[in-house]
Amino acid sequence: GAVVSQHPSWVICKSGTSVKIECRSLDFQATTMFWYRQFPKQSLMLMATSNEGSKATYEQGVEKDKFLINHASLTLSTLTVTSAHPEDSSFYICSATSGIGTDTQYFGPGTRLTVL
Amino acid sequence: AQSVTQPDIHITVSEGASLELRCNYSYGATPYLFWYVQSPGQGLQLLLKYFSGDTLVQGIKGFEAEFKRSQSSFNLRKPSVHWSDAAEYFCAVGPVLGGATNKLIFGTGTLLAVQP
């Protein structure tokens, strides 16, 4: 149980285009989803917290207009990188929890974004 | 301030040898503690977690961790390492006090290499 998927697993795009990444909880309802960014050989950097049916909460320094997050249902959250640039190239990972408080985060397999 | 420290950036052990990965935290209350493992190019998999109760926690893949309040530590151990254990290991603590629930703080990770 507690499986989280991401799609696509990798994507290459041209500079200036937008890319959408999907995060799905396959066997549970995710009231909260998190989006992380991970640079090579570094830890995870939390970008935003997404609660179903409400606006995402972004961490300090993360541009909300550039990284659009939508959590339209209890099993799906999307991250759209708008007007992507090479510096947006990174590994993006989502996680999901099914409850409130300190419930465990279950992670997706990640999406490798390369912007040319 | 809340923080997680993994003092060892890189560790190499021989297959069959025992393993201990260190994790120290700074937290204003009783924390909830997690160990995750990440294989190259993959998301994070939960190894074990501590919320309360018995301070020695058993996880998957033969791992265990011990919560020591007096030392503010949550070290991960395995009695006999297998080559497949080579990966990056992240310690995390939560929830972030004063903010949204479920948020975790991650350590910088320890990269484990296993020698034949």
Side-chain angles (χ1 to χ4, degrees), chain B residues 8-63:
Chain B
D8 305 304
I9 297 173
H10 187 272
I11 284 182
T12 300
V13 299
S14 299
E15 190 168 16
S18 63
L19 171 71
E20 182 170 33
L21 302 182
R22 296 183 290 166
C23 173
N24 295 96
Y25 65 87
S26 174
Y27 197 76
T30 300
Y32 297 90
L33 296 155
F34 306 81
W35 273 101
Y36 287 89
V37 61
Q38 183 181 33
S39 297
Q42 301 294 315
L44 277 68
Q45 181 182 23
L46 178 68
L47 284 176
L48 47 79
K49 59 187 178 183
Y50 171 78
F51 283 178
S52 64
D54 193 345
T55 56
L56 184 61
V57 180
Q58 301 298 320
I60 62 171
K61 303 184 179 185
F63 285 92

Side-chain angles (χ1 to χ4, degrees), chain A residues 17-100:
Chain A
T17 61
S18 295
V19 174
K20 180 183 284 188
I21 302 170
E22 292 185 349
C23 177
R24 293 181 184 273
S25 58
L26 299 185
D27 51 1
F28 66 100
Q29 293 186 325
T31 53
T32 305
M33 286 184 170
F34 301 86
W35 286 96
Y36 294 86
R37 185 173 178 175
Q38 186 179 31
F39 293 100
K41 301 187 185 300
Q42 295 189 26
S43 189
L44 283 74
M45 181 191 80
L46 180 63
M47 300 174 66
T49 303
S50 168
N51 291 298
E52 185 267 338
S54 61
K55 290 184 178 180
T57 302
Y58 290 80
E59 295 298 302
Q60 192 172 9
V62 178
E63 299 176 61
K64 61 178 67 176
D65 293 332
K66 180 165 188 62
F67 298 99
L68 300 178
I69 292 172
N70 182 275
H71 193 160
S73 77
L74 284 171
T75 59
L76 174 64
S77 176
T78 60
L79 167 68
T80 301
V81 182
T82 62
S83 186
H85 288 92
E87 58 265 31
D88 299 323
S89 299
S90 191
F91 193 54
Y92 293 88
I93 308 176
C94 73
S95 71
T97 68
S98 60
I100 61 173

